[in-house]
């Protein structure tokens, strides 16, 4: 019988000047970027936590500690590839992934198609199995004041016997 698992992940990073903004592996032209030890791609970090959560295999910090200089400015897309190659993921395939990015600015809608394509390629699944939704925080809180970008991800994975 097929075995199914769901996972959920969340992440937030501070938005600061003089940093590149990379979301879902796509470089977004903007005068600020996300601060972090890696490239701070919050939606990919949320997706990694969702995948690890689906397999009860820890979290992004336990696999890629930010105390490790190896992950300084790390490309989060390559961290995602590493997660998909973990023994815990062997035999498992992503059925679908659904992400929400919360950002007051910049407008992300024009970049959603390339974000979906990039994630679909990384996950090895069709684009119609990957959803990326972009919202604002209605100017409320740190995200709404443009001081941070937040991301949520849900996944379903399946192991075929
Ligand atoms: Mg993060």
């Amino acid at each position: 019988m097929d075995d199914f698992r769901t996972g959920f992940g969340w992440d937030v990073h501070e938005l600061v000047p003089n940093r590149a903004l990379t979301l879902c592996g796509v470089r977004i032209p903007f005068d600020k970027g996300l601060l972090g030890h890696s490239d701070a791609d919050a939606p990919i970090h949320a997706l990694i936590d969702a995948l690890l959560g689906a397999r009860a295999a820890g979290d992004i910090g336990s696999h890629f500690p930010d105390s490790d200089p190896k992950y300084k400015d790390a490309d989060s897309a390559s961290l995602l590839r590493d997660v998909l190659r973990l023994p815990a993921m062997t035999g498992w395939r992503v059925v679908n992934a659904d992400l929400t990015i919360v950002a007051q600015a910049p407008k992300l809608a024009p970049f959603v198609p390339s974000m979906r394509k990039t994630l679909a390629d990384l996950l090895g699944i069709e684009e119609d199995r990957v959803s990326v939704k972009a919202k604002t925080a209605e100017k409320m809180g740190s995200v709404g004041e443009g001081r941070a970008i937040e991301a949520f991800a849900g996944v379903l994975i399946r192991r075929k016997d």
Side-chain angles (χ1 to χ4, degrees):
M1 204 181 83
D2 286 356
D3 194 354
F4 289 91
R5 308 283 170 89
T6 68
F8 176 75
W10 167 85
D11 197 26
V12 66
H13 281 270
E14 188 184 355
L15 198 53
V16 297
N18 303 315
R19 283 276 296 186
L21 179 60
T22 304
L23 297 171
C24 299
V26 175
R27 189 71 172 267
I28 314 283
F30 193 49
D31 61 354
K32 291 179 191 168
L34 294 177
L35 184 63
H37 187 64
S38 68
D39 64 6
D41 189 327
I44 287 190
H45 294 182
L47 179 57
I48 286 172
D49 266 357
L51 288 164
L52 293 171
R55 292 290 294 119
D59 61 26
I60 190 169
S62 62
H63 289 271
F64 310 107
D66 64 7
S67 54
D68 189 335
K70 192 164 69 177
Y71 302 118
K72 172 108 179 72
D73 297 322
D75 172 9
S76 296
S78 71
L79 302 184
L80 175 56
R81 279 190 213 101
D82 289 349
V83 165
L84 294 167
R85 283 194 289 257
L86 287 173
M89 296 304 297
T90 302
W92 292 85
R93 196 171 159 74
V94 175
V95 176
N96 74 303
D98 183 18
L99 287 84
T100 297
I101 305 168
V102 193
Q104 197 62 40
K107 281 252 174 292
L108 297 178
F111 303 98
V112 164
S114 45
M115 290 179 186
R116 290 179 62 205
K117 177 166 184 5
T118 302
L119 292 180
D121 288 348
L122 286 165
L123 296 170
I125 58 178
E126 303 88 344
E127 273 176 65
D128 68 358
R129 292 174 181 268
V130 180
S131 159
V132 174
K133 309 188 296 297
K135 303 176 74 75
T136 74
E138 302 285 346
K139 300 187 177 164
M140 294 179 290
S142 54
V143 175
E145 289 161 6
R147 294 187 284 116
I149 288 179
E150 191 174 31
F152 303 84
V155 292
L156 180 68
I157 61 173
R158 170 191 190 182
R159 181 170 63 191
K160 211 158 165 67
D161 290 334

